[in-house]
């Protein structure tokens, strides 16, 4: 992947002062955002049953939310204002939109969730609300007025009985009109309210953070997959010192110790992190037999990473590649190479195969559909 820089933006100042703390407006951060996708192309994605989308309308002061896929007739019947269509994970399906991620390499890739794209007709809005995640709102075509409020808590009042979260009291403290290429960073839980001033597209680079409950759930699954029934609690002399009905502190510590011992198992932790970082929302396509991948490369084909799969690597002592939710042990250099290469072809094949472990790892990834033949 190539690295690009956001203009009028100081990365280290942003990470120290703004990330997860306060909003930031970046004027003219990215060029040529008007041509990325047309409203018609976005509507086409919203009609696709495999892609998550929604339509939010606000006609006659009534909020309505329709989950995708959106029928073509629904689009044809829409008036010329007060609606928004929003499509998730557009980066997985549209290469030009995925390329926006090249501007965000200053943040860990596993924290990125997806790029959601919205098209709003004049007056279109999804209401004043807050999200649990960091988001960079990149203005594509058209202009949108954004108002920002304060930070919300679980006690912040919402309008009752609506199909979506709408803040009951929203007080704007800042207001900005975004033009194509402008970027607004919004930290988690900050109230925001965007209204399209004309037909406009917004590209939301959204982040994610697993809840501790989710981490524990994955941990429990990884432990169950590994630990057998024969590894059991054992008494110590001290745990036997209590009264007949008492559970003493030493017994409690023995149980705590068992939990900590499992959490200290590097292999279990790697499985947990592989899932957290790279488990995707989309299933791999049907299995294709590509066991002859080397012959194919020599004949002129190329291998690329599947756009449906995510890749990360762990650089610690038990280095590993994470791909599509699974861990593959690999030297750091090879694991990083798999995350970064552009294409494998006859020209670079020999130098790649010279890396220890490369051939078997690539074969495993090809079999898992994480690496695929480039389509022409
Ligand atoms: C939108 O694109 O209309 C909404 C984006 C957001 O508020 O997160
Ligand atoms: Co939002």
């Amino acid at each position: 992947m190539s690295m690009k820089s956001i203009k009028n933006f100081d990365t280290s100042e942003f990470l120290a002062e703004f990330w997860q703390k306060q909003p930031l407006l970046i004027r003219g951060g990215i060029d040529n955002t008007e041509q990325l996708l047309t409203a018609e192309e976005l509507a086409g994605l919203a009609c696709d049953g495999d892609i998550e989308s929604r339509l939010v309308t606000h006609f006659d002061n009534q909020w309505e939310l329709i989950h995708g896929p959106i029928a073509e007739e629904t689009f044809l019947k829409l008036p010329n204002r007060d609606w928004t269509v929003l499509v998730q994970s557009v980066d997985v399906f549209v290469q030009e939109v995925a390329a926006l991620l090249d501007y965000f390499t200053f943040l860990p890739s596993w924290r990125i969730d997806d790029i959601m794209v919205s098209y709003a007709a004049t007056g279109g809005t999804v209401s004043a609300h807050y999200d649990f995640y960091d988001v960079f709102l990149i203005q594509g075509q058209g202009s949108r007025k954004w108002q920002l409020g304060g930070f919300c808590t679980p006690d912040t009042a919402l309008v009752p009985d609506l199909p979506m979260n709408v803040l009951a009291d929203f007080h704007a403290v800042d207001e900005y009109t975004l033009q194509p290429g402008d970027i607004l960073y919004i930290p988690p839980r900050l109230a925001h309210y965007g209204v399209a001033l004309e037909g406009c597209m917004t590209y939301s680079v959204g982040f994610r953070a697993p809840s501790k409950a989710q981490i524990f759930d994955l941990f429990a699954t990884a432990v169950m997959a590994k630990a057998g029934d024969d590894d059991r609690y054992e008494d110590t002399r001290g745990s036997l010192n209590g009264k007949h009905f008492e559970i003493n502190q030493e017994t409690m510590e023995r149980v705590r110790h068992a939990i900590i011992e499992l959490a200290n198992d590097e292999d279990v932790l790697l499985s947990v992190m592989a899932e957290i970082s790279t488990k995707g929302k989309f299933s791999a396509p049907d299995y294709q037999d590509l066991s002859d991948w080397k012959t194919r490369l020599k004949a002129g084909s190329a291998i690329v990473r599947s756009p449906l799969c995510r890749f990360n690597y762990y650089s610690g002592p038990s280095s590993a590649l994470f791909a599509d939710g699974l861990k593959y042990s690999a030297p750091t250099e090879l694991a990083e190479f798999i995350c970064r290469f552009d294409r494998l072809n006859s020209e670079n094949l020999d130098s790649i195969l010279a890396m220890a472990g490369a051939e078997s790892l690539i074969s495993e990834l090809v079999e898992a559909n994480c690496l695929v033949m480039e389509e022409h």
Side-chain angles (χ1 to χ4, degrees):
M1 87 187 295
S2 56
M3 277 161 69
K4 298 178 193 144
S5 329
I6 296 175
K7 289 195 287 185
N8 308 317
F9 178 73
D10 180 331
T11 306
S12 67
E13 185 192 6
F14 173 78
L15 294 178
E17 309 291 336
F18 294 91
W19 176 247
Q20 306 216 291
K21 293 192 191 84
Q22 48 169 330
L24 177 67
L25 173 69
I26 308 152
R27 289 283 180 204
I30 298 180
D31 290 333
N32 302 323
T33 58
E34 296 100 308
Q35 292 97 14
L36 286 173
L37 204 63
T38 63
E40 290 71 26
E41 285 167 324
L42 190 70
L45 294 173
C47 296
D48 185 324
D50 293 329
I51 306 179
E52 191 187 332
S53 64
R54 66 208 142 104
L55 175 66
V56 175
T57 63
H58 193 213
F59 304 141
D60 306 321
N61 223 14
Q62 298 275 351
W63 292 106
E64 204 181 330
L65 168 68
I66 299 169
H67 288 286
I70 314 290
E72 217 178 312
E73 309 82 75
T74 308
F75 276 119
L76 295 175
K77 281 192 220 133
L78 286 170
N80 58 7
R81 55 173 302 144
D82 300 333
W83 56 268
T84 308
V85 59
L86 306 105
V87 182
Q88 298 293 145
S89 303
V90 177
D91 53 308
V92 173
F93 302 100
V94 183
Q95 217 293 315
E96 291 78 7
V97 174
L100 284 175
L101 296 173
D102 296 350
Y103 289 94
F104 296 91
T105 53
F106 59 92
L107 288 162
S109 74
W110 75 270
R111 295 273 279 105
I112 295 174
D113 190 17
D114 71 343
I115 301 185
M116 175 183 84
V117 185
S118 71
Y119 174 81
T122 306
T125 174
V126 298
S127 81
H129 67 280
Y130 71 95
D131 303 303
F132 289 101
Y133 307 116
D134 306 83
V135 63
F136 289 86
L137 301 162
I138 306 169
Q139 187 67 34
Q141 73 179 77
S143 61
R144 182 190 282 271
K145 182 178 79 182
W146 280 104
Q147 292 186 324
L148 305 183
F151 285 95
C152 301
T153 68
D155 298 329
T156 303
L158 302 175
V159 180
D161 307 321
L162 287 184
M164 51 200 260
N165 290 341
V166 177
L167 292 174
D169 302 296
F170 174 77
H171 304 285
V173 291
D174 281 312
E175 182 177 304
Y176 309 107
T177 296
L178 265 65
Q179 304 291 349
D182 293 344
I183 305 172
L184 182 58
Y185 163 72
I186 300 184
R189 297 184 184 80
L190 190 83
H192 52 286
Y193 179 32
V195 181
L197 299 178
E198 57 190 315
C200 90
M201 299 275 262
T202 301
Y203 297 80
S204 303
V205 179
F207 287 73
R208 59 182 186 174
S211 68
K212 288 181 186 164
Q214 258 173 317
I215 293 174
F216 194 83
D217 190 25
L218 295 171
F219 169 66
T221 307
V223 166
M224 297 304 283
K226 195 177 172 196
D229 260 356
D230 46 353
D231 197 8
R232 297 266 164 166
Y233 167 89
E234 280 170 13
D235 283 313
T236 59
R237 185 66 191 83
S239 70
L240 302 172
N241 276 349
K243 299 181 185 127
H244 184 50
F245 287 105
E246 183 191 30
I247 288 164
N248 69 14
Q249 209 179 339
E250 180 146 342
T251 308
M252 200 70 132
E253 287 310 320
R254 296 287 296 158
V255 172
R256 190 199 308 278
H257 184 73
I259 295 173
I260 292 171
E261 219 173 44
L262 293 168
N264 280 335
D265 183 323
E266 187 81 349
D267 210 38
V268 167
L269 200 59
L270 285 173
S271 298
V272 170
M273 203 60 216
E275 281 238 7
I276 289 176
S277 60
T278 63
K279 179 88 180 165
K281 298 178 194 163
F282 301 96
S283 46
D286 285 343
Y287 177 71
Q288 262 184 296
D289 183 10
L290 298 176
S291 51
D292 59 345
W293 61 271
K294 274 191 298 176
T295 319
R296 293 188 189 220
L297 293 204
K298 282 178 195 146
S301 299
I303 282 181
V304 292
R305 283 182 298 280
S306 164
L308 298 180
C309 292
R310 300 174 68 118
F311 295 80
N312 285 105
Y313 68 94
Y314 172 59
S315 57
S318 45
S319 65
L321 173 77
F322 301 147
D324 205 23
L326 295 178
K327 64 176 195 302
Y328 299 83
S329 60
T332 305
E333 190 198 2
L334 174 61
E336 181 176 3
F337 171 80
I338 298 288
C339 295
R340 288 188 183 278
F341 74 84
D342 281 331
R343 46 213 296 273
L344 306 181
N345 56 24
S346 59
E347 279 160 41
N348 55 21
L349 181 62
D350 287 339
S351 66
I352 289 156
L353 293 183
M355 272 191 269
E359 182 163 352
S360 63
L361 180 60
I362 294 170
S363 294
E364 277 186 89
L365 294 168
V366 162
E367 194 173 339
N369 290 307
C370 293
L371 296 182
V372 295
M373 289 294 154
E374 185 174 45
E375 283 177 22
H376 294 287

